[in-house]
Amino acid sequence: MSAILWQLLQIVLVVAISPLITGWVRLVKSRLNGRIGASPFQPYRDIYRLLQKEAVVAHSASWVFRVAPYVTFGAAWLAACIVPAFTTNLFLAQAADLIALVALLGVARFWTALAGMDVGTSFGGLGASREMMISSLAEPAMLMVTFSLSLISGTTAPAQIIAFVLSGGVGIEVSLGLALAALVMVAIAENGRIPIDNPATHLELTMVHEAMVLEYSGRHLALMEGAGMVRLTLFMALIGGLFAPWGMAQPGGDAVAVLVGLAAFLAKCFVLATALGVFETSIAKMRVFRYADFLGGALLLGLLATIFLYVSEAV
Amino acid sequence: MLIAAALSALLALAVLGVAAGAEMWRHRLVYFCCMIASLALLAGGIKHLGQTPGTGPAIVLPIGLPWMAAHFRLDNLSALFMVVVNLATAAASAYGIGYCSHLPEPRRVTPFYPLFLFGMNAVLIADDAFMFLVAWEFMSLSSWLLVLADHKNAENRQAAFVYLVMACFGTFCLLTCFGLMAGGQGAYSFPAMRAAKLDGVAGFLVVLLALLGAGSKAGLVPLHAWLPLAHPAAPSHVSALMSGVMTKVALYGLIRILFDLHGEVSWAWGAVMMAIGGITAVMGVLYAILQDDLKKLLAYSTVENIGVVVIGLGLAIAFKGSGEKTLAALALVAGLYHIVNHSIFKTLWFLSAGAVITATGERDLGKLGGLTKRMPWNGVAALVGAIAISALPPLNGFVSEWLIFQSLFKGPSLPHWAMKFGVPVVGAMLALAAALAAACFVRAYGIAFLGRPRSEAAAQAHQVPASMRWTVALLAALCVVLGAIPVTVTDALSHVVTPLTGVQFAVSADLGWPWLSPVSSTRGSYSGTVLVMTGAGLCAITLLLVHGFGTTRIRRADAWDCGHKESIPQSQYTGQSFSQPLRRVFCASIFAARESVDMPDPGDNRPAELKVRVVDPIWVGLYAGIGRVVDFIADRVNRFQHLTVRHYLLMMFSTLVIMLLVVAVRQSQ
């Protein structure tokens, strides 16, 4: 019973705090740039404002264009509901493991890319083409991370991996470090952050995600932006959960344990969001064809994380 | 009985097809009867699968070689493939009812089509090597005639030639393979082969020849070369069957030999097959991304999916050879699930391609666009197929890839170092292939069905006949069903693998319906059913929230396009431009892809030109090389054709002397 209750809390929580996290990253960046910056609550106002505006749809758009925002947001939301944020005792924890999680994010991307091509402008195609190139390297890297975690803990379910790490079954491993590095690189790429993509740009030379959603407006744009924010929260929960699961409530934990878990989750998000802001300000954006080097590196790190397991075993 | 009647009916239909002549309604009737026969065979297969595991009665017919009757038998493996084959043939036959009138020469297709169906089904129920090979040749030759249906096109004649050569090569390998298994006594029946023990060298050769023979028909790299030529050349409902089903019959042959007849295959062959499968998957999808011809793209995508299946089969052999029977069963179930899935979504996509060709007369992606508006049925069905083929949840393609990943992740538990280090690499290749497949089908669907029409033909596209719409809709529905209730399918498949791996096993270990949990509930689980329901619920909540807090108003306007004035449709991204980043990242080394820009000087009126050069390393390195060697030898041998009688007699005499010398030397030793 409690699993269902905490699941409902998680469903509400990920959507409720996602704009705040994005707002906080923006605030950190503007402070580091020497600007005062908007309040961290600004994204809530932005989304509300977009919802009030009528949606403009191009004459050439088909039904895919209008369905895509809902599917994209729904898939991102569903994926975020599965990643344990503050407790591993979730009803949906068994419905999908890390492999399915990667694929659910793939669903969101698939529809966004199609929507980008639907109106029939060159920008949309450009964004879709680049996004699929990035994902074709990021997805295998993420699966390699899953592979090494599954070899260490014997399971691909995030809740079980967290339980294994919390039980102290694993010490400091080289593989874990490599996997963490790969996962962070994938997270940067999947969320369209610098150095892969710049979420604040409108230059055709550099944009990827923006190019795909260029034609969206009103509530459709709100959903597309919202999906991006939920995805950022998801990756923070994933990194914080898999590699720093401390404070998380376990099955059988009471309401106090869950409160501790919530506080720990918010603290982790705060730390990670601040770190992201600092990282983004201190690095320059890459050229498009350097992405392959960056993500190929992530893929190799993931592969090394797996192979190092045997090397460390043999030594 | 039902099956025998349906098979005889197919043979009779071939005769009817010859008699159909120019009357279109007679052609339609043949396709309709083919559909009924396929449905009967499908029912026979399902009925057998539904019964308790075991084999059907052996049927012996007094035909064939004088000293040997023809043996037929239906067991679980045959029944499963019978379901796979006839599901697709029923759909393709129904599609043919509407499609045959759009063919340039229906008379060159209708007579051979029932023969092709007959051949595929006969391979599945053959119980001795002789009948198996005869049926195999039946299948190859009738499909060769179908590839030649549009024989006026020189490209098709070339494709048919390559196909014939490769089919002969494959059959030759299989013939030798069965010969080795039959042993000195010439025991050609399958039960006798099962009982026989194969020693080292013969066992090794049998696996190698089976891989070459069945692999060339299935399209394993580097034996895939005929596939992208022959599949597009045939009419679309035939290419759907060649690509979606005939390759599966080839895999049936491989499974029959490696898991059933041979029995004890070393784990090392499993490792080899996984490596071949991984390379096939990645190469296949990379080829597909480079294609502009819709049907060629689909044929290469088949190569990729065959690679995925072979990874699963190789894994099963590696586990079985190391004594891990449960994991072997899991990997085999995963491979079989992918076989079922691929037969459905690839048939769906080839039939959609046929609809596109009927509606527009084009199969070049660069001349399509915006079809989902003018062909809504096919637009939706093809989208479902694209999601399924990209291995995305909650559709069927994802479930089988998930199972393959789950069994792959158990691979390093084997004691062999090749598996410990090799499996992660194969895993990375499989993941890469899956991600690239998504890119490939975003490209195919986005360019053909979305955007603005790039040519007059695409802008004038019309709806296709009803039978061509509801068949694809039905296949799309199957993609959803097989994805949403995975446990029901895996339970049926585990009955099939029980006799092959010798272990009773359920993929839903301890959670039960509807959860897939291959090893145990704590090792990672998946439930398509729960995901579909939750996802639909969340999307509904999103819809209600968005419309509750905001407005529902929509305004139609011109595309914004960053403030540019509405540009011509040709300014959209094309297939070539879409694949450019992928080409630069992945194909620069493998395919030696190079781009050169020819920019005229100022004042020069020449149009600027971007040229892309892609070299197929396997065609250039392997096939062209073999071709040159054959030409060289043929030139030399050719001289013997124009000798005088005196010379011929001299040659015979000297041969005789040499032979006698050999005999004398051997006897003196």
Side-chain angles (χ1 to χ4, degrees):
Chain A
M1 196 56 224
S2 59
I4 294 180
L5 190 67
W6 302 140
Q7 183 67 65
L8 288 176
L9 180 59
Q10 163 112 357
I11 289 175
V12 177
L13 180 78
V14 286
V15 170
I17 68 161
S18 294
L20 178 62
I21 294 176
T22 305
W24 182 257
V25 177
R26 285 183 193 161
L27 182 67
V28 170
K29 282 176 73 176
S30 39
R31 284 293 156 86
L32 288 174
N33 286 343
R35 291 181 280 123
I36 295 172
S39 140
F41 294 97
Q42 185 61 34
Y44 293 98
R45 296 182 205 131
D46 288 342
I47 286 181
Y48 184 74
R49 182 172 48 90
L50 283 174
L51 286 180
Q52 301 309 312
K53 291 191 169 190
E54 67 178 358
V56 183
V57 176
H59 291 300
S60 52
S62 72
W63 61 272
V64 173
F65 185 79
R66 292 175 63 180
V67 172
Y70 296 95
V71 180
T72 305
F73 185 80
W77 194 6
L78 180 59
C81 295
I82 292 160
V83 180
F86 55 92
T87 175
T88 55
N89 188 18
L90 292 177
F91 176 69
L92 286 175
Q94 284 185 323
D97 58 356
L98 283 177
I99 308 171
L101 197 72
V102 178
L104 273 177
L105 291 174
V107 173
R109 178 171 36 233
F110 192 90
W111 280 84
T112 315
L114 284 184
M117 301 179 79
D118 190 32
V119 173
T121 63
S122 47
F123 286 112
L126 175 146
S129 152
R130 288 180 181 176
E131 175 84 358
M132 295 322 281
M133 187 262 282
I134 292 172
S135 80
S136 64
L137 285 161
E139 244 178 61
M142 178 96 179
L143 274 163
M144 280 300 105
V145 173
T146 310
F147 203 156
S148 57
L149 288 174
S150 131
L151 284 180
I152 293 174
S153 62
T155 167
T156 54
Q160 302 291 341
I161 297 176
I162 291 168
F164 179 80
V165 177
L166 276 180
S167 71
V170 55
I172 303 289
E173 287 238 20
V174 185
S175 297
L176 273 184
L178 293 174
L180 174 62
L183 184 58
V184 168
M185 288 164 93
V186 169
I188 287 170
E190 291 266 1
N191 285 293
R193 315 300 301 197
I194 298 175
I196 293 295
D197 189 5
N198 189 348
T201 184
H202 256 159
L203 286 171
E204 62 263 36
L205 275 177
T206 56
M207 62 186 176
V208 179
H209 185 262
E210 275 302 306
M212 285 190 291
V213 301
L214 208 52
E215 292 296 330
Y216 277 115
S217 54
R219 60 175 184 277
H220 297 145
L221 182 59
L223 282 173
M224 284 296 191
E225 301 259 313
M229 294 173 187
V230 169
R231 195 166 49 211
L232 185 62
T233 312
L234 179 158
F235 271 98
M236 291 194 168
L238 199 61
I239 294 173
L242 294 177
F243 294 95
W246 302 289
M248 198 171 285
Q250 296 265 22
D254 53 4
V256 178
V258 170
L259 277 180
V260 172
L262 274 173
F265 172 62
L266 291 178
K268 281 179 221 164
C269 287
F270 176 75
V271 171
L272 286 172
T274 311
L276 178 62
V278 174
F279 176 74
E280 278 203 293
T281 343
S282 53
I283 197 163
K285 188 169 161 320
M286 283 181 175
R287 285 177 58 223
V288 169
F289 288 106
R290 293 277 310 282
Y291 299 170
D293 300 342
F294 182 84
L295 287 164
L299 178 59
L300 278 182
L301 281 180
L303 199 58
L304 273 183
T306 314
I307 289 177
F308 254 94
L309 279 177
Y310 311 116
V311 178
S312 60
E313 229 170 56
V315 171
Chain B
M1 258 316 93
L2 184 68
I3 292 170
L7 285 179
S8 339
L10 282 176
L11 280 181
L13 281 171
V15 182
L16 200 65
V18 176
E23 296 269 1
M24 200 45 74
W25 69 268
R26 289 194 199 152
H27 288 282
R28 295 216 170 93
L29 181 68
V30 172
Y31 282 109
F32 181 76
C33 296
C34 282
M35 182 186 77
I36 300 291
S38 297
L39 286 175
L41 288 165
L42 178 66
I46 291 177
K47 182 163 157 272
H48 187 88
L49 273 185
Q51 290 163 353
T52 47
T55 53
I59 295 172
V60 182
L61 292 181
I63 50 172
L65 293 182
W67 64 91
M68 206 172 80
H71 300 78
F72 298 98
R73 185 197 292 274
L74 188 68
D75 66 359
N76 276 339
L77 187 63
S78 318
L80 171 72
F81 276 87
M82 199 158 236
V83 172
V84 170
V85 167
N86 290 295
L87 196 65
T89 54
S93 308
Y95 181 90
I97 298 173
Y99 186 61
C100 64
S101 56
H102 296 282
L103 290 173
E105 282 182 272
R107 273 185 287 177
R108 293 183 63 92
V109 178
T110 313
F112 310 124
Y113 182 79
L115 285 183
F116 181 41
L117 304 193
F118 173 82
M120 288 197 289
N121 278 298
V123 171
L124 300 179
I125 56 170
D127 199 34
D128 64 57
F130 183 73
M131 277 326 292
F132 184 94
L133 286 171
V134 168
W136 186 276
E137 276 300 86
F138 222 90
M139 172 176 91
S140 297
L141 291 178
S142 53
S143 54
W144 171 69
L145 286 166
L146 289 167
V147 169
L148 261 181
D150 188 8
H151 63 116
K152 286 179 186 134
N153 187 338
E155 217 172 277
N156 291 354
R157 289 199 300 273
Q158 164 78 6
F161 171 71
V162 175
Y163 177 39
L164 193 63
V165 171
M166 289 300 281
C168 289
F169 169 75
T171 312
F172 168 75
C173 290
L174 279 182
L175 185 71
T176 327
C177 172
F178 279 120
L180 277 170
M181 279 197 288
Q185 275 69 46
Y188 278 102
S189 75
F190 281 176
M193 285 183 183
R194 235 169 254 141
K197 276 272 172 211
L198 287 164
D199 62 349
V201 179
F204 176 87
L205 281 177
V206 162
V207 182
L208 180 70
L209 289 167
L211 270 178
L212 287 175
S216 69
K217 180 118 287 193
L220 283 181
V221 169
L223 302 169
H224 66 284
W226 62 272
L227 217 126
L229 299 172
H231 291 192
S236 290
H237 60 311
V238 177
S239 30
L241 294 183
M242 286 179 73
S243 209
V245 187
M246 190 175 74
T247 53
K248 306 294 144 20
V249 176
L251 289 176
Y252 162 82
L254 196 62
I255 295 174
R256 176 64 76 196
I257 295 172
L258 295 188
F259 285 89
D260 187 17
L261 301 180
H262 190 324
E264 291 160 20
V265 181
S266 147
W267 69 269
W269 271 115
V272 170
M273 279 173 71
M274 284 170 68
I276 296 175
I279 293 168
T280 303
V282 173
M283 290 284 280
V285 71
L286 283 178
Y287 277 118
I289 282 177
L290 296 175
Q291 296 310 314
D292 267 339
D293 179 332
L294 188 54
K295 283 175 87 175
K296 239 180 201 165
L297 182 153
L298 293 175
Y300 275 124
S301 153
T302 297
V303 174
E304 182 230 332
N305 281 284
I306 294 294
V308 172
V309 175
V310 170
I311 291 178
L313 297 184
L315 202 56
I317 287 177
F319 281 131
K320 196 181 170 196
S322 312
E324 294 269 12
K325 296 221 165 134
T326 315
L327 289 176
L330 171 64
L332 193 53
V333 164
L336 289 177
Y337 205 149
H338 201 72
I339 286 178
V340 174
N341 291 337
H342 181 248
S343 75
I344 293 171
F345 49 63
K346 190 46 61 68
T347 308
L348 162 59
W349 254 93
F350 261 111
L351 297 186
S352 301
V356 168
I357 294 168
T358 311
T360 64
E362 289 288 347
R363 59 189 217 200
D364 180 358
L365 282 179
K367 293 187 176 143
L368 297 172
L371 293 180
T372 192
K373 282 180 140 179
R374 275 162 287 277
M375 305 164 69
W377 278 61
N378 290 88
V380 175
L383 180 58
V384 172
I387 298 173
I389 211 167
S390 307
L392 292 175
L395 300 187
N396 56 355
F398 174 71
V399 185
S400 46
E401 291 219 359
W402 185 84
L403 283 171
I404 293 180
F405 272 120
Q406 280 292 346
S407 39
L408 254 175
F409 284 5
K410 299 282 171 292
S413 67
L414 291 177
H416 321 291
W417 283 97
M419 293 299 280
K420 281 197 193 300
F421 286 111
V423 164
V425 177
V426 173
M429 286 167 121
L430 182 60
L432 189 62
L436 286 172
C440 176
F441 277 87
V442 163
R443 174 178 179 265
Y445 187 81
I447 289 178
F449 285 92
L450 302 178
R452 288 178 287 159
R454 290 176 179 78
S455 69
E456 198 52 35
Q460 304 298 328
H462 49 82
Q463 282 271 38
V464 290
S467 83
M468 293 167 69
R469 277 181 276 143
W470 61 259
T471 40
V472 286
L474 221 58
L475 289 171
L478 264 177
C479 285
V480 179
V481 170
L482 285 180
I485 52 156
V487 179
T488 316
V489 186
T490 52
D491 282 351
L493 291 178
S494 58
H495 284 310
V496 175
V497 304
T498 300
L500 301 178
T501 55
V503 63
Q504 192 82 39
F505 138 98
V507 182
S508 49
D510 44 4
L511 290 170
W513 205 90
W515 307 86
L516 274 184
S517 51
V519 187
S520 81
S521 61
T522 57
R523 289 293 178 102
S525 49
Y526 170 78
S527 169
T529 326
V530 173
L531 275 193
V532 169
M533 280 157 56
T534 320
L538 289 181
C539 284
I541 293 173
T542 311
L543 192 71
L544 287 177
L545 282 180
V546 166
H547 285 183
F549 279 102
T551 158
T552 52
R553 274 180 300 159
I554 288 264
R555 183 156 56 91
R556 285 283 183 172
D558 288 342
W560 179 51
D561 201 16
C562 262
H564 291 280
K565 201 161 165 282
E566 185 97 336
S567 48
I568 53 168
Q570 277 71 23
S571 72
Q572 295 175 87
Y573 253 45
T574 59
Q576 285 294 327
S577 41
F578 189 94
S579 53
Q580 189 239 13
L582 290 159
R583 196 168 62 220
R584 274 181 71 163
V585 171
F586 292 103
C587 305
S589 47
I590 303 178
F591 295 103
R594 295 283 177 278
E595 287 160 19
S596 56
V597 181
D598 175 26
M599 187 64 80
D601 295 329
D604 195 342
N605 285 339
R606 273 185 308 128
E609 233 182 333
L610 172 77
K611 275 196 191 131
V612 179
R613 191 182 64 107
V614 178
V615 182
D616 179 352
I618 292 172
W619 186 263
V620 172
L622 186 66
Y623 291 92
I626 293 175
R628 273 196 299 275
V629 171
V630 169
D631 276 350
F632 178 83
I633 295 173
D635 279 349
R636 298 297 172 282
V637 173
N638 201 19
R639 273 188 252 152
F640 292 105
Q641 211 181 346
H642 306 290
L643 301 182
T644 59
V645 175
R646 196 160 43 86
H647 281 112
Y648 283 126
L649 285 174
L650 182 69
M651 277 169 67
M652 283 160 77
F653 179 70
S654 47
T655 311
L656 191 67
V657 169
I658 291 170
M659 287 300 190
L660 284 172
L661 269 175
V662 169
V663 171
V665 167
R666 284 198 61 170
Q667 274 182 347
S668 67
Q669 271 175 354

